């Protein structure tokens, strides 16, 4: 009986009690596979490996910590970094569309080159804003872990940073504000709703990774999310008439 997966990863953990495990399933034969049982809590280590992506996303949307732990500990980092690129593109595009809707007279008078520059500028602003949030929360979270664990090894900075990317899924939900926008459903109300969802999900992820209390997690995440929002608001100004700077 083979109890090891194709590739062992030290980050594999039970999604219920966070007990480390060497595998997510037990392979009896080439055609018989069973979910691994946690030696600590007695539940299946990670039943989400049998769920589709939509089911996992819905549980994350419902703020179920087991679903967060599945993504944080039991999935590879490559998908999350691709997801970060999608987040920045969506954020830049939505902010660009929002600017054009609010300043339609100005945007309609601009050339194609200036409109393209406005989008590229917002993409760069989005990258810096998310960088402030991700780097800030990861740095503070790692420092808190190391101060409490002493000589025990803490997760790497890259692992913590990669985990915080998960909390940015709320940014993608800004797209409905573009698709279903109308006079009765303005951009701002939808955006603030997504911002609040990002705050809640970021607190969940930070609390799981840093092992801090709910109040401390909320304070840390709120501070860096506010810094990110202020940075984006400060630099996201209307285009200045003239030639394209690039």
């Amino acid at each position: 009986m083979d109890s090891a997966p194709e590739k062992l990863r030290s980050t594999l953990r039970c999604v219920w009690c966070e007990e480390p495990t060497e595998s997510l399933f037990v392979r009896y034969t080439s055609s018989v596979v069973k979910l691994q049982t946690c030696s600590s809590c007695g539940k299946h280590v990670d039943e989400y490996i049998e769920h589709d992506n939509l089911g996992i996303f819905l549980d994350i949307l419902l703020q179920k910590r087991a679903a967060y732990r599945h993504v944080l500990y039991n999935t590879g980092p490559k998908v999350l970094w691709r997801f970060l690129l999608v987040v920045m593109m969506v954020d830049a595009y939505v902010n660009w569309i929002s600017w054009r809707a609010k300043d339609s007279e100005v945007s309609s008078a601009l050339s194609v080159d200036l409109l393209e520059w406005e989008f590229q500028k917002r993409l760069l602003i989005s990258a810096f804003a998310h960088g402030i949030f991700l780097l800030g929360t990861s740095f503070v979270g790692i420092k808190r872990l190391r101060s409490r664990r002493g000589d025990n090894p803490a997760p790497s900075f890259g692992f913590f940073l990669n985990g915080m990317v998960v909390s940015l899924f709320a940014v993608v939900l800004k797209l409905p504000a573009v698709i279903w926008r109308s006079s009765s459903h303005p951009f701002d109300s939808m955006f603030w709703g997504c911002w609040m969802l990002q705050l809640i999900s970021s607190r969940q992820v930070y609390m799981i990774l840093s092992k801090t209390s709910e109040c401390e997690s909320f304070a840390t995440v709120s501070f860096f999310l506010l810094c990110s929002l202020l940075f984006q608001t400060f630099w996201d100004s209307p285009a200045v008439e003239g030639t394209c700077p690039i």
Side-chain angles (χ1 to χ4, degrees), residues 32-73:
V32 179
V33 177
K34 183 180 179 181
L35 292 178
Q36 181 73 278
T37 301
C38 179
S39 59
S40 177
C41 65
K43 299 180 181 180
H44 288 151
V45 170
D46 189 354
E47 61 186 22
Y48 283 101
I49 61 176
E50 294 185 333
H51 294 192
D52 56 17
N53 292 333
L54 178 59
I56 297 172
F57 174 74
L58 290 177
D59 277 359
I60 288 178
L61 196 62
L62 294 173
Q63 302 301 310
K64 293 187 178 180
R65 294 183 185 177
Y68 277 107
R69 294 188 183 107
H70 164 76
V71 177
L72 294 172
Y73 295 121

Side-chain angles (χ1 to χ4, degrees), residues 63 66 92 97 121 144 197 202 219:
Q63 302 301 310
I97 291 293
K121 183 183 76 173
R144 292 289 292 125
L197 179 60
S202 298

Side-chain angles (χ1 to χ4, degrees), residues 1 7 16 19 23 107 117 119 149 179 186 193 202 215 228:
M1 180 179 65
K7 184 178 180 180
W16 307 106
E19 181 73 14
S23 66
S107 62
W117 160 247
F119 175 77
R149 292 196 175 193
I179 299 173
S202 298
C215 292
S228 173

Side-chain angles (χ1 to χ4, degrees), residues 14-28:
C14 174
V15 298
W16 307 106
C17 65
E18 296 193 19
E19 181 73 14
T21 181
E22 293 185 346
S23 66
L24 302 178
F25 57 87
V26 179
R27 187 184 299 277
Y28 293 94

Side-chain angles (χ1 to χ4, degrees), residues 20-228:
T21 181
E22 293 185 346
S23 66
L24 302 178
F25 57 87
V26 179
R27 187 184 299 277
Y28 293 94
T29 65
S30 58
S31 59
V32 179
V33 177
K34 183 180 179 181
L35 292 178
Q36 181 73 278
T37 301
C38 179
S39 59
S40 177
C41 65
K43 299 180 181 180
H44 288 151
V45 170
D46 189 354
E47 61 186 22
Y48 283 101
I49 61 176
E50 294 185 333
H51 294 192
D52 56 17
N53 292 333
L54 178 59
I56 297 172
F57 174 74
L58 290 177
D59 277 359
I60 288 178
L61 196 62
L62 294 173
Q63 302 301 310
K64 293 187 178 180
R65 294 183 185 177
Y68 277 107
R69 294 188 183 107
H70 164 76
V71 177
L72 294 172
Y73 295 121
N74 300 335
T75 59
K78 292 183 178 180
V79 175
L80 297 182
W81 285 112
R82 293 171 186 166
F83 175 69
L84 177 59
L85 295 177
V86 172
V87 165
M88 290 188 298
M89 292 291 291
V90 169
D91 191 38
Y93 176 74
V94 171
N95 289 336
W96 182 70
I97 291 293
S98 177
W99 162 73
R100 293 197 63 184
K102 292 178 180 178
D103 299 299
S104 57
E105 294 183 1
V106 175
S107 62
S108 60
L110 296 177
S111 64
V112 175
D113 289 339
L114 276 176
L115 288 175
E116 182 180 349
W117 160 247
E118 280 296 322
F119 175 77
Q120 293 174 354
K121 183 183 76 173
R122 280 162 175 76
L123 181 59
L124 186 61
I125 292 172
S126 177
F128 275 102
H130 290 307
I132 292 172
F133 172 74
L134 294 173
L135 294 175
T137 52
S138 299
F139 178 79
V140 174
I142 288 294
K143 291 286 288 184
R144 292 289 292 125
L145 274 174
R146 290 176 178 173
S147 65
R148 292 197 311 272
R149 292 196 175 193
D151 296 333
N152 295 326
S156 66
F157 181 83
F159 179 80
F160 203 107
L161 180 66
N162 182 75
M164 290 304 300
V165 175
V166 177
S167 64
L168 299 179
F169 75 91
V171 177
V172 182
L173 299 181
K174 290 181 180 180
L175 278 177
V178 177
I179 299 173
W180 297 318
R181 67 182 185 274
S182 65
S183 58
S184 60
H185 297 282
F187 280 102
D188 292 342
S189 59
M190 181 72 76
F191 288 176
W192 281 109
C194 292
W195 190 86
M196 291 301 298
L197 179 60
Q198 183 181 349
L199 174 62
I200 296 171
S201 60
S202 298
R203 189 213 61 175
Q204 287 276 53
V205 173
Y206 185 87
M207 186 166 51
I208 292 172
L209 292 176
S210 65
K211 306 298 185 293
T212 53
S213 64
E214 292 189 6
C215 292
E216 182 179 347
S217 300
F218 180 81
T220 304
V221 168
S222 298
F223 174 77
F224 286 106
L225 196 56
L226 183 60
C227 290
S228 173

